[in-house]
Each structure stands twice: as structure tokens, then as C-alpha cells.
Amino acid sequence: MKIKNIMASAFLLLLALEGNAQVQKQNKADKEYAHLAYIDAIDTYEKVANKGYKNEEMFQRLGNAYYFNGELVKAVKWYNELFEMNKNQEPEYLYRYAQSLKAVGEYAKADEILKAFHNKIATDQRGILFENNKNYLEQINLNSGRFEITDAGINSTQTDYGSTFLDNKLVFASARDTGGIARKKFKWTNKSFTNLYRAELNSDGTVGKPERFEKKINSKFNESTPVFTKDGKTMYFTRNNFLGGKRKRDDQRNTLLKLYKAELVNGKWTNITELPFNSDQYSTAHPALSVDEKKLFFASDMPGTLGQSDLYSVTINGDNTFGKPENLGAGINTEGRETFPFVSADNELFFASDGRPGLGGLDVYVFKINSDGTFSAVQNVGAPVNGKQDDFAFIIDNKSRKGFFSSNREGGVGNDDIYKFTETRKLTCGQTLSGTIADSENNAPIDNAKVVLLDAEFKQIDEVTTNSEGTYNFNVECNKTYHVRTIKENYETKEVPVTTKETAGKTEEAIPLEKRIKPIDVGTDLAKTLNIPIIYFDLDKATITKQATFELEKIIAVMQQYPKMKIDVRSHTDSRQTAQYNMDLSNRRAKSTIAWLVKNGINKNRLTGKGYGESQLVNQCADNVPCTEKEHQLNRRSEFIIVSME
């Protein structure tokens, strides 16, 4: 008994020591996590978690550590553990979980999580975009298949990304081994810092052997994402907060990113200066120049940012000073990450975002910068540029339609790789404009109707004939105004304006047609037959208005066509005011209508009529029943009932 008790105590002691060691390891990982050393934290957390130790905060941080490093497939495992342990998480974890699920192709489950995310925080633009674009996969599919892609041929086993054009060269960032024995590493990724490299763009489409960019530009910290002016004499680039041999940090002791400018003097890059809107307390990164080189676009998390990082623009003044940075706004930026802008010669701005409905991780999107400075609708460029992982840093030559982008997709050489592509078809936001042509009286579909599509200036674009179900279809562009004209024998020709939606998909426009020849007989209400909704009178008056004369001319025309026709004019009001007041008012209006018809040539012997006040309401809008103005209007009507045809 004594021996068993000793063994049991020893066993419990071992468990306690092991548990204490795990807590100590987690505390160590927490400190590493807080200092952005995510890879070190991952190693520590996983050792603890793989021993079966469960802790909600640990799973949050372990999932985040992989998520923030773009390793979404690995993030799924730990977010799964987190949500199995406690489904009631903060909204941001729901969003990260959904993004990670897309990386393993679980789009249906990701959409369920995104729905829960939107329900939890209805004001978040990411959830709103999802809610308004639930067919986003269909829209992305319409934009896909336009690129032929292949490895750029310059990738290393390290990180390579963020390329740009400089004459006939490609300049990019790389963490490849440069031959030094001691290599500094970036704590966030535990990989070498990136420097700029360049490689020749050969005429056969291949890329030459990379060589390091000038030593004056490269430092012992990160350099990336340069952009050059057209004359090749000025460059803007991203670097950690390091200049003149001095490294600066924010209040949390982190060295953030800044934008720098350099000039080419006598064939050498020199005069490196940081841009005046930089700060030690926030990051600015990934510059892009407008077509006229009067604006610089960039990504930042500066105060006023809507999400984790936003796209900004700043004016470059003629004296080489800069204006005040302006956020591109909620039409472009979300609560997620918007980053890596690039402006093509066609004035299209490509960027990467994880805040919009996409295929997973960062996707590449594009919008047009209009001549008035406004932006067109944002579109996903589609697969195969976009995939389940992070895809970003898209650049394109508008003449050759060739370009490069970066990705951490499976099958790559290193962590991030550069891919080259040829665009085989330009992106035009496509819409299907469709609808049904039907009889306005019985809603029966009308076949063999001619449907003509016209542009905003009424120039014919296309023409189709409705099928047996009365439907028509046109392939059109997004966010444009068209006119649809419908022609059918024995029906009135009708033309309606249609403005298509801003994103790829469908715009539907049903068109009811009215018969040109309408049967009439005793009991027919000519107001309905001739589409006379009401006879207009001024408030509390019975004087015929100009609007009413147009409607009454229709009655005269029919009565002249049928000289023996007799009409009973019946005037009705809504329930507002007293019943007696409404009765008197409707009587005066009926008499006024008859008097106008007589004055304009109709024999008074062919006309009878009276007012009915509010006694024959067509809906529930009686006294003290709350109704809209539109509902009350249905009761304010005039009827012209045929009482005799002979």
C-alpha cells in the first residue's frame, strides 16, 4: 500500500512538473508572439499543443502565427481546434478562419463562417461585400482563364517577390543567400532580410540571371517593391526604418516600414531620402506611380486607416514636395489588408486584398481610374493568377500584355515566388442582360417578339427574338446604360432604359407589353383600358388640371370613335377627411369632369356620373388604418364605365 502511494505521488509530481514546463513554454511563446517573432512562437506552441495541452489563447495565437505568415493551410488546423474548443470567438477570428478554409478548398464551410461573421458585426465592409456578392465564385469564374502563367525562372529557395520594370530589366526583392557567412534574419519570418535584385528581360521571354542591385540601395534590413519613373532617374522603394546607418523603432520597439526616394546621378543611385509623410509609429510601403507620375500610391496603416492596411495616394508637387496622403476610401479599402498597388499604362490600378470575396488569402483585384478621378467597380482578376493562397504584386506591360506576380502557392521553389504570365484576353466586366417579354394583362409570355439592344446614344448593338418562353438574352458590359426596345405585332412598341450592375453577373429586366387592340364592352372601365391611373385635381379642389386634360382627351377620342357610346363618370377619394367631406368633394369632381367633356364636344346626354367619396375603397385603407401615400393613392381614382354601346 505504501509503495503504491509513493508511486502514485511520484506520477502526480511528474505530471505537475510536465504541466508547469508546458506553462513555462507557453509563457515564452507569448513573449515571442508579442514581439512579432511568429516563427519562434509557432515552434514553441506546437510542441506544447502536440502533447495534448489545450488552451484557447494558445490556439488563437498559433492560428494567427500561421495566418499572418500566409501559411493558411497550417492555420486551418489550429483554428479548427480553437472553434471546437469555443465557437464564441471575436469576429476577426471568424474572418481569419473563413480565409484559411478557402486555402484548403472548403468554400461552402468558409461561406457559412462568413455569414456568421456578418451576423456578428453587420457594419464590417468585408461582411457586407460577402452578403452582397454571394455568387462571388461565379463572378470570379467569369473573369478566369485569361492568363497563361509559368515560373519566372529566377526564384530561389528563399523568398522572392514584388517585381517591377526598369527599361529591359526586372527588379525584385529576394532573401536569397548572397554568400555571406553571417546572415541577419527577420524575426517575423525567421528568414533572411530581402535585398533588391535585377535581371535582364530577354527578347525570347526568358529572364536572365539575377544580380544584386546597387549596394547604396541595399542595406542590412529589408528592401522591397521599388518603382521607377519613366526616365529611369528616380526610384521609390520600401525599406525598414533605417537610414544613414541609424535604425529607428516605434513605441513597442519594432522597426517598421518606410518609403524612400533615390536619384540616379552619373549612373549611380544616390541621394536616398525618406518621404515626409513617413512615421516611426506606422508603416508606409509598396509605392506605385500614376500614369502621369503626379501621384504616388502606397499602402499604410497610418491613423485614419479603415483596416489592417489601406491604399493611399499622395500628390507629387512640381517642386518635388508632397501633398497630404489621402485614403482611397471605403469603395476600395476594407477592414482587411489592401496592399501592393500597381498602376498600368491603361490607368488600371491592380492591388492585393484579403478583405473582399476571393479564392483565398490575398487575391489580386483591379479597378479603373477614371478621367475625373473617380474609380470604377473593383473586380477580381480571376484564376489562375488568383488561387487558394496569397497572390499579390501584380504588374503588367500594357503593350505586350505580359507581366509578373508573386505567390506562395503550392509547387513553388521557395516561400514566395515570382511567376510570369501572358494575358490572352483583357478583362471586361461582363453582364448577361436578360428578361421575359409578357402580356401586361395576363402575364402570358410573348414569343417571336423582336428585342433590340441599343446603347446610351440609341445606336443599335444587337437584336434577338424571344423564344417560346418569352425570354431574351444579351451579353453586355457592367455599369453601363442601355435601352431595350421590344416590337411585336398587335402590341405597343416599348422601350425601357436599363443600367447594368457594377460587377460581373446578371441584370434582369422583365418587360410587359400592352395590346394595341383592346376589347371593350358594356361594363368596361375606360380608365383601366387606356391606362388612366387617376384624374389629377389640386388639393381639395375640383378644377381640371393640365395633367388631367391629357387623360380626358383619350376618353374623347374613344367616344368619338363610338358615337353611340354612353359613359358613367365615377369619382372616388381616399379615407382621409370626413366621409361627408369626401362625398361632396367627389361629387364636385365628377360634375367638373362631365362639364369638361361636354365643353370639348361630347353631348351631355351621353354622360352621367356622381361621386362615391370613400365608400368604395379598393384596399384596407379606411379611417384610422395606417397606410402609405401610395396605398391611399389607389383609392383616389376616376372610373369611366361604359353603360351603353348602341
Side-chain angles (χ1 to χ4, degrees):
M1 178 68 71
K2 186 176 180 180
I3 294 176
K4 289 184 178 179
N5 287 337
I6 291 173
M7 292 180 64
S9 298
F11 180 69
L12 290 173
L13 177 61
L14 286 172
L15 286 179
L17 289 172
E18 185 179 34
N20 185 53
Q22 289 174 342
V23 170
Q24 288 176 350
K25 288 180 181 178
Q26 185 183 346
N27 290 338
K28 175 177 179 289
D30 289 345
K31 290 179 181 179
E32 292 168 346
Y33 183 96
H35 288 88
L36 308 182
Y38 286 145
I39 296 299
D40 291 339
I42 286 175
D43 182 60
T44 308
Y45 283 136
E46 283 197 314
K47 287 176 181 176
V48 173
N50 287 334
K51 290 186 177 181
Y53 185 72
K54 293 183 180 292
N55 176 275
E56 185 174 343
E57 186 177 10
M58 180 182 68
F59 289 144
Q60 288 174 342
R61 293 188 170 188
L62 191 51
N64 287 350
Y66 278 123
Y67 181 85
F68 292 139
N69 277 292
E71 297 184 78
L72 304 184
V73 175
K74 293 180 179 178
V76 170
K77 174 182 177 181
W78 301 111
Y79 284 143
N80 279 338
E81 292 278 4
L82 173 63
F83 280 85
E84 283 181 13
M85 192 171 186
N86 181 10
K87 288 184 169 59
N88 186 26
Q89 298 294 325
E90 291 296 316
E92 201 61 35
Y93 287 102
L94 287 164
Y95 192 80
R96 293 171 194 163
Y97 188 27
Q99 289 292 92
S100 302
L101 286 167
K102 288 181 181 181
V104 294
E106 294 189 31
Y107 289 101
K109 187 174 180 181
D111 288 353
E112 290 178 11
I113 301 298
L114 283 171
K115 184 177 180 180
F117 169 78
H118 180 59
N119 290 338
K120 202 158 193 175
I121 181 168
T123 58
D124 193 293
Q125 185 71 5
R126 293 169 295 178
I128 294 170
L129 286 168
F130 167 73
E131 187 68 21
N132 294 339
N133 297 276
K134 288 185 177 178
N135 64 335
Y136 69 94
L137 290 176
E138 178 183 338
Q139 294 176 8
I140 292 172
N141 186 56
L142 291 172
N143 294 346
S144 296
R146 302 181 301 107
F147 298 94
E148 296 174 351
I149 70 170
T150 185
D151 187 289
I154 53 174
N155 293 306
S156 68
T157 57
Q158 303 299 316
T159 293
D160 302 278
Y161 76 99
S163 54
T164 193
F165 298 116
L166 174 60
D167 298 325
N168 64 333
K169 295 180 179 63
L170 189 73
V171 183
F172 62 97
S174 179
R176 65 189 62 206
D177 191 351
T178 55
I181 297 174
R183 300 172 60 201
K184 286 185 174 290
K185 292 186 177 182
F186 188 32
K187 289 176 71 179
W188 186 298
T189 61
N190 205 29
K191 299 294 188 295
S192 297
F193 285 99
T194 58
N195 282 165
L196 296 184
Y197 286 74
R198 59 187 163 202
E200 292 286 334
L201 293 171
N202 301 319
S203 58
D204 62 358
T206 59
V207 184
K209 183 179 179 180
E211 59 181 25
R212 282 172 64 90
F213 205 73
E214 286 192 25
K215 189 175 181 180
K216 187 82 171 178
I217 299 298
N218 288 324
S219 71
K220 61 183 179 180
F221 293 102
N222 285 304
E223 282 81 31
S224 69
T225 54
V227 64
F228 299 88
T229 53
K230 294 172 185 175
D231 62 9
K233 294 181 179 180
T234 303
M235 73 178 290
Y236 301 92
F237 65 100
T238 307
R239 179 195 281 173
N240 283 116
N241 192 351
F242 180 80
L243 185 63
K246 294 182 179 180
R247 173 186 181 183
K248 296 181 180 180
R249 307 170 189 260
D250 68 2
D251 292 341
Q252 280 73 48
R253 306 290 297 162
N254 295 313
T255 302
L256 303 180
L257 300 175
K258 285 188 174 182
L259 290 174
Y260 295 86
K261 176 184 175 183
E263 297 175 340
L264 187 66
V265 180
N266 297 324
K268 298 290 184 181
W269 288 104
T270 186
N271 299 334
I272 300 173
T273 57
E274 69 168 272
L275 300 192
F277 47 85
N278 287 332
S279 171
D280 295 341
Q281 303 304 318
Y282 57 78
S283 286
T284 55
H286 314 316
L289 283 165
S290 62
V291 175
D292 61 8
E293 300 186 346
K294 293 180 179 180
K295 276 190 176 182
L296 189 74
F297 295 89
F298 62 95
S300 179
D301 60 352
M302 66 174 58
T305 298
L306 304 178
Q308 296 164 41
S309 65
D310 283 1
L311 296 186
Y312 286 82
S313 70
V314 64
T315 301
I316 305 172
N317 300 319
D319 58 358
N320 287 323
T321 61
F322 293 83
K324 182 180 178 181
E326 295 182 4
N327 191 297
L328 296 196
I332 305 299
N333 294 312
T334 71
E335 289 82 352
R337 294 178 294 169
E338 277 69 46
T339 186
F340 292 101
F342 168 79
V343 182
S344 75
D346 292 330
N347 230 12
E348 292 176 317
L349 194 151
F350 295 85
F351 68 102
S353 173
D354 64 1
R356 295 176 169 274
L359 296 179
L362 291 168
D363 271 18
V364 176
Y365 296 85
V366 63
F367 63 86
K368 184 86 172 180
I369 304 174
N370 300 318
S371 57
D372 61 358
T374 59
F375 306 136
S376 70
V378 175
Q379 294 190 77
N380 188 299
V381 302
V385 166
N386 289 326
K388 298 175 183 177
Q389 306 288 337
D390 285 335
D391 307 291
F392 56 99
F394 181 103
I395 66 170
I396 187 170
D397 175 72
N398 70 309
K399 293 180 180 179
S400 67
R401 308 312 295 176
K402 296 181 183 295
F404 298 85
F405 71 98
S406 305
S407 179
N408 65 348
R409 64 189 54 193
E410 293 181 3
V413 178
N415 300 294
D416 292 317
D417 291 304
I418 299 173
Y419 295 83
K420 63 181 180 180
F421 66 80
T422 300
E423 185 184 50
T424 58
R425 173 173 56 88
K426 289 193 70 174
L427 176 62
T428 55
C429 182
Q431 277 271 328
T432 299
L433 173 57
S434 61
T436 301
I437 311 299
D439 189 298
S440 62
E441 291 183 9
N442 55 26
N443 207 34
I446 300 172
D447 62 358
N448 293 316
K450 183 165 73 173
V451 186
V452 182
L453 180 69
L454 308 126
D455 64 15
E457 284 73 42
F458 294 93
K459 294 179 181 178
Q460 183 169 333
I461 300 172
D462 201 357
E463 179 183 311
V464 296
T465 301
T466 57
N467 58 21
S468 59
E469 296 177 347
T471 60
Y472 69 92
N473 288 278
F474 293 112
N475 292 321
V476 294
E477 294 182 33
C478 300
N479 199 29
K480 277 198 171 185
T481 298
Y482 297 90
H483 298 273
V484 180
R485 181 184 298 157
T486 308
I487 305 167
K488 176 67 176 178
E489 187 180 1
N490 296 327
Y491 285 88
E492 292 185 24
T493 297
K494 189 170 185 178
E495 188 174 275
V496 296
V498 181
T499 300
T500 55
K501 297 175 183 177
E502 291 187 347
T503 55
K506 297 179 181 179
T507 297
E508 296 186 354
E509 185 69 30
I511 302 176
L513 294 186
E514 298 178 15
K515 287 189 174 73
R516 293 178 59 190
I517 300 173
K518 301 177 181 180
I520 57 173
D521 204 346
V522 174
T524 298
D525 180 3
L526 288 181
K528 291 182 179 178
T529 302
L530 301 174
N531 292 318
I532 301 174
I534 61 174
I535 296 296
Y536 295 90
F537 295 93
D538 290 330
L539 184 65
D540 292 335
K541 293 184 179 180
T543 305
I544 299 295
T545 65
K546 266 190 175 180
Q547 288 174 299
T549 60
F550 167 72
E551 305 295 348
L552 290 175
E553 285 289 354
K554 299 178 186 178
I555 302 296
I556 290 175
V558 173
M559 294 189 77
Q560 288 174 341
Q561 183 181 355
Y562 297 94
K564 295 183 179 181
M565 177 186 288
K566 293 183 179 181
I567 296 293
D568 186 48
V569 180
R570 303 172 184 178
S571 179
H572 303 267
T573 69
D574 60 40
S575 64
R576 291 176 290 187
Q577 291 284 356
T578 65
Q580 187 59 51
Y581 179 91
N582 287 330
M583 185 63 74
D584 293 341
L585 178 62
S586 63
N587 268 318
R588 293 198 306 273
R589 287 178 171 177
K591 289 177 181 178
S592 178
T593 302
I594 291 171
W596 190 93
L597 291 170
V598 170
K599 182 180 177 181
N600 286 274
I602 302 299
N603 191 305
K604 64 179 181 180
N605 294 328
R606 300 173 64 191
L607 299 166
T608 57
K610 68 174 184 176
Y612 290 83
E614 59 181 272
S615 64
Q616 296 184 7
L617 301 176
V618 296
N619 55 27
Q620 80 284 357
C621 297
D623 290 341
N624 301 317
V625 175
C627 286
T628 65
E629 178 59 34
K630 188 174 182 180
E631 289 172 323
H632 280 301
Q633 185 175 311
L634 293 174
N635 292 312
R636 298 197 305 271
R637 67 198 189 280
S638 290
E639 298 172 333
F640 298 85
I641 307 299
I642 300 174
V643 295
S644 174
M645 295 284 291
E646 296 181 359

